């Protein structure tokens, strides 16, 4: 069932993105007066088609789902067959260079507009996201030395307002890629004369030491902080387990293990997992009582690794909030997010070209299918977020100045604007062959990375 859902989610995602992209080309061609012969979702052999409209445009579904195309009336593709005089004005190459630019650019633009639309829907509806509260488990970490403390609520980063943990991750990753430190404003609860006072602190978090490889991974954990987790409160006590045998009860709070403080539920899980078969002294808060209870986690094996289990349920989900925006705010935020994501993608591509970032970041259809399945199982909000991100990636990729891609054609037309004449057919043919070779190499790397991820 999981495999079927993954395949369906992948087909829906790719089908939607390709259709929107090609419809951008189609609509621009029609608006510019160019005759469209065929609109195909998919490549290769046509498995279904139907001709519609005054021009009898063929609407087709083809066998290979990884792509699509819009076939326009083009003298270069006639194979020597003359074009009817009545249609010459509607032939693609006879259009002005600016119309050709509009038609070619419309595909990627359609992908960006789709992303803006999807993000707008999500922002207006509301997205559940973790609250921007900090977990700082170690006093030896970069975050602690910078001045961040357990339970700090991040308000702003370099003057930019923060609404959720996702904002924290996004802004800090951008600052890290720019090799700039982050000035973080946090709200901190201070106990003074048995009164809780909320005060603001400004701390400077160093990020310039992070490499691009660090930023590709879980760099926040490397800096020594993450999103805050709930306290170590025991949930359901499972039968016939060490927790039940030791007398632990639902609602018990574990404050210490072997006289060492337990930060939260995640810390409790980590300690228990690392203590298989070892007797532990648990300091328990049970309503108004404080108890010391001994318990020995049973030995279990997960993926070939030995871990300890108390057989008790814990809540590790961070505190959540629903981030909502008005329609006007959502449109502005969506446009900004689409722009920022596009720029970040270009920066990462540039770093891969210069060797500053790993080629392992290149993903192919297998990884996209896997993420499509995962996000679809998480709910429609996750799936639409994934769809928006892939739509941006598709738009950025197609704008790269690589022959055979939209960006390559835009490069040709830009040269035509500058020189006043189109590029030669010989140069165009040579560039096409080079572009195809480059794309084949990229696809080979993508498939290799996909298989390596699946095997790991």
């Amino acid at each position: 069932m999981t495999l079927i859902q993954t395949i369906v989610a992948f087909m829906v995602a790719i089908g939607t993105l390709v259709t929107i992209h090609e419809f951008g080309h189609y609509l621009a061609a029609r608006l510019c007066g160019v005759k469209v012969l065929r609109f195909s979702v998919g490549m290769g052999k046509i498995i279904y088609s139907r001709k519609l409209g005054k021009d009898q445009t063929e609407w087709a579904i083809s066998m290979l789902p990884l792509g699509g195309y819009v076939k326009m009336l083009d003298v270069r593709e006639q194979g020597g067959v003359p074009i009817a005089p009545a249609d010459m004005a509607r032939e693609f190459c006879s259009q002005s260079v600016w119309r050709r630019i509009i038609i070619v650019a419309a595909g990627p633009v359609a992908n960006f507009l789709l992303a803006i639309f999807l993000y707008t829907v999500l922002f207006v509806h509301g997205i559940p996201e973790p609250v921007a509260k900090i977990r700082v488990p170690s006093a030896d970490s970069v975050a602690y030395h910078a001045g961040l403390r357990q339970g700090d609520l991040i308000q702003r980063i370099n003057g930019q307002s923060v609404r959720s943990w996702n904002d924290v991750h996004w802004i800090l990753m951008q600052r890290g890629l720019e090799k700039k430190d982050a000035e973080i404003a946090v709200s901190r609860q201070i106990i003074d004369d048995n009164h809780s006072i909320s005060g603001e602190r400004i701390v400077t978090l160093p990020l310039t030491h992070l490499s691009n490889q660090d930023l590709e991974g879980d760099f926040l954990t490397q800096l020594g902080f993450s999103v805050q987790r709930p306290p170590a409160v025991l949930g359901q006590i499972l039968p016939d387990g060490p927790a039940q045998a030791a007398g632990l009860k639902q609602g018990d709070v574990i404050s210490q293990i072997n006289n060492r403080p337990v930060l939260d539920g995640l810390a409790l899980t980590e300690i228990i997992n690392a203590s298989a078969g070892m007797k532990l002294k648990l300091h328990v808060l049970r309503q108004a009582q404080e108890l010391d209870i001994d318990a020995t986690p049973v030995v279990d094996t997960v993926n070939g690794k030995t871990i300890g289990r108390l057989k008790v349920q814990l809540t590790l989900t961070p505190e959540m909030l629903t981030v909502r925006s008005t329609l006007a705010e959502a449109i502005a935020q969506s446009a900004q997010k689409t722009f920022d994501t596009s720029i970040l993608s270009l920066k990462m591509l540039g770093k891969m070209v210069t060797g500053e970032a790993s080629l392992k970041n290149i993903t192919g259809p297998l990884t996209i299918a896997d993420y499509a399945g995962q996000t679809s199982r998480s709910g429609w909000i996750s799936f639409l977020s994934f769809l928006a991100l892939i739509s941006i990636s598709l738009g950025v990729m197609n704008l790269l100045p690589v022959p055979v891609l939209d960006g390559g054609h835009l490069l040709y037309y830009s040269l035509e604007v500058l020189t006043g004449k189109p590029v030669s057919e010989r140069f165009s043919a040579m560039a096409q062959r080079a572009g195809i070779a480059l794309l084949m190499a990229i696809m080979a790397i993508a498939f290799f990375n996909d298989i390596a991820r699946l095997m790991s």
Side-chain angles (χ1 to χ4, degrees):
M1 188 65 183
T2 299
L3 177 61
I4 294 175
Q5 185 174 356
T6 296
I7 294 173
V8 171
F10 175 66
M11 296 297 290
V12 169
I14 293 299
T16 300
L17 298 180
V18 168
T19 301
I20 292 296
H21 179 93
E22 298 304 335
F23 189 75
H25 290 310
Y26 169 82
L27 185 60
R30 293 297 303 269
L31 291 174
C32 290
V34 175
K35 185 175 182 178
V36 179
L37 304 178
R38 180 185 296 151
F39 184 109
S40 175
V41 176
M43 307 289 287
K45 183 179 180 181
I46 295 174
I47 57 178
Y48 171 82
S49 69
R50 186 175 181 183
K51 293 185 177 181
L52 299 171
K54 180 181 177 181
D55 289 333
Q56 287 293 283
T57 300
E58 183 182 14
W59 297 82
I61 298 175
S62 300
M63 186 172 291
L64 299 176
L66 302 179
Y69 62 93
V70 171
K71 183 178 180 181
M72 292 170 259
L73 184 64
D74 191 326
V75 69
R76 298 167 300 180
E77 299 178 4
Q78 289 298 108
V81 178
I83 297 175
D87 285 336
M88 279 304 300
R90 304 181 65 194
E91 190 267 336
F92 178 77
C93 293
S94 65
Q95 307 302 311
S96 71
V97 65
W98 292 110
R99 287 192 176 189
R100 281 176 275 146
I101 287 174
I102 290 171
I103 293 170
V104 171
V109 168
N111 286 122
F112 295 134
L113 292 177
L114 174 62
I116 292 172
F117 171 75
L118 293 175
Y119 281 135
T120 299
V121 170
L122 292 172
F123 290 152
V124 170
H125 174 272
I127 305 174
E129 297 180 1
V131 173
K133 283 187 178 179
I134 296 177
R135 178 182 192 262
V136 184
S138 173
D140 297 326
S141 65
V142 174
Y144 191 92
H145 286 295
L148 295 175
R149 294 295 182 266
Q150 173 75 13
D152 281 352
L153 177 64
I154 298 180
Q155 304 281 4
R156 299 181 306 282
I157 300 178
N158 287 90
Q160 187 172 345
S161 179
V162 168
R163 298 197 295 176
S164 69
W165 187 257
N166 292 348
D167 291 343
V168 174
H169 186 277
W170 175 256
I171 297 171
L172 291 183
M173 182 170 63
Q174 289 182 303
R175 299 290 296 181
L177 284 171
E178 295 169 0
K179 298 299 179 185
K180 296 179 180 178
D181 294 338
E183 186 179 85
I184 303 177
V186 300
S187 176
R188 181 176 300 167
Q189 294 297 118
I190 304 170
I191 305 300
D192 184 19
D193 296 330
N194 294 323
H195 291 88
S196 178
I197 304 172
S198 181
E200 184 172 280
R201 295 286 187 275
I202 305 294
V203 303
T204 299
L205 181 67
L207 300 173
T208 55
H209 67 284
L210 292 175
S211 67
N212 291 307
Q213 285 73 24
D214 293 333
L215 293 168
E216 292 166 16
D218 188 2
F219 69 96
L220 295 184
T221 299
Q222 184 175 334
L223 291 170
F225 73 106
S226 59
V227 65
Q228 188 182 55
R229 304 295 181 132
V233 180
L234 303 186
Q236 181 182 356
I237 308 298
L238 303 180
D240 303 321
Q244 185 184 62
L248 292 170
K249 296 183 178 181
Q250 184 171 344
D252 285 350
V253 181
I254 311 300
S255 62
Q256 296 181 20
I257 295 181
N258 294 340
N259 298 317
R260 297 181 62 181
V262 175
L263 185 65
D264 51 25
L266 180 59
L268 175 61
T269 300
E270 293 169 345
I271 295 170
I272 297 301
N273 287 346
S275 304
M278 299 169 57
K279 185 177 180 180
L280 301 176
K281 179 182 178 183
L282 311 180
H283 190 70
V284 179
L285 305 179
R286 181 178 295 168
Q287 297 179 349
Q289 294 180 290
E290 293 191 32
L291 308 170
D292 286 323
I293 296 176
D294 293 334
T296 303
V298 294
V299 179
D300 198 0
T301 302
V302 177
N303 296 327
K305 183 180 179 181
T306 300
I307 65 170
R309 290 193 186 279
L310 277 182
K311 294 195 174 182
V312 61
Q313 293 182 349
L314 288 170
T315 299
L316 301 180
T317 304
E319 182 183 351
M320 305 291 287
L321 80 163
T322 300
V323 179
R324 288 191 178 91
S325 304
T326 65
L327 180 59
E329 291 172 340
I331 293 173
Q333 291 165 1
S334 300
Q336 186 65 51
K337 185 175 181 65
T338 299
F339 177 79
D340 290 343
T341 304
S342 301
I343 296 300
L344 183 63
S345 298
L346 288 172
K347 287 180 180 178
M348 288 300 297
L349 286 170
K351 291 181 184 296
M352 281 189 277
V353 170
T354 60
E356 296 179 69
S358 173
L359 292 177
K360 292 180 180 179
N361 289 288
I362 299 175
T363 58
L366 297 180
T367 297
I368 294 173
D370 183 36
Y371 287 158
Q374 291 182 34
T375 55
S376 68
R377 288 188 288 276
S378 297
W380 69 272
I381 290 178
S382 296
F383 184 69
L384 290 189
S385 297
F386 163 79
L387 202 60
L389 180 61
I390 298 300
S391 190
I392 294 171
S393 299
L394 183 61
V396 170
M397 183 191 73
N398 271 281
L399 284 177
L400 296 178
V402 177
V404 311
L405 294 180
D406 293 334
H409 293 291
L410 291 174
L411 178 60
Y412 297 159
Y413 301 148
S414 298
L415 292 174
E416 184 175 344
V417 170
L418 293 174
T419 63
K421 58 182 180 180
V423 298
S424 68
E425 291 186 10
R426 183 184 177 192
F427 175 82
S428 178
M430 292 174 58
Q432 290 286 98
R433 288 194 289 271
I436 291 172
L438 177 60
L439 285 182
M440 293 297 289
I442 294 173
M443 287 176 62
I445 294 171
F447 272 108
F448 177 82
N449 289 341
D450 283 356
I451 294 171
R453 287 188 183 94
L454 292 176
M455 298 290 289
S456 63

